[in-house]
Amino acid sequence: MIHPYQVCIVAIRVGEVEYPRPCVAITVLSADGIAGALAISSKLDLYKPDQHFLINANHPDFPATGLSTTSYVIGSPVIDITPEEVEKVIGALTGELGCAFRRWIE
């Protein structure tokens, strides 16, 4: 079962490519576990503060994310993912980082 704010590895399409990448679940959409998720990128040269949520490696809650480097959540589109598509859950947005993310998506 996918839970909100979990960071998962899922093969999703971003732009022209589709490959396993991290994404963060934002909501569970159905009883069978389908969740809405947003892609995560570490390509900081494409980061846009008005459209993306920064996950800074210097943040005290960063280790819980399971990410290896400063990254950002891409604000759209929301992608539907099923539990079967999740290759691995690597972490979660927790603590103050999770609270800041919740405020950002609302």
Side-chain angles (χ1 to χ4, degrees):
M1 181 63 122
I2 303 167
H3 299 283
Y5 309 132
Q6 280 185 320
V7 179
C8 309
I9 302 296
V10 181
I12 56 175
R13 176 171 291 283
V14 174
E16 297 294 315
V17 296
E18 181 175 332
Y19 57 86
R21 65 179 310 122
C23 64
V24 60
I26 56 173
T27 187
V28 177
L29 302 171
S30 68
D32 57 357
I34 296 173
L38 295 170
I40 296 174
S41 177
S42 60
K43 299 203 181 296
L44 294 178
D45 56 322
L46 300 176
Y47 171 69
K48 297 177 183 171
D50 59 327
Q51 297 175 18
H52 302 140
F53 178 80
L54 187 66
I55 304 172
N56 195 312
N58 294 326
H59 194 284
D61 297 320
F62 181 82
T65 68
L67 299 168
S68 59
T69 188
T70 295
S71 302
Y72 60 92
V73 178
I74 300 170
S76 66
V78 175
I79 302 151
D80 290 350
I81 59 172
T82 66
E84 297 77 28
E85 292 174 309
V86 175
E87 294 183 16
K88 184 177 182 180
V89 175
I90 61 170
L93 298 179
T94 62
E96 178 50 40
L97 190 58
C99 291
F101 180 71
R102 184 177 315 111
R103 288 189 302 270
W104 180 76
I105 62 172
E106 290 178 348

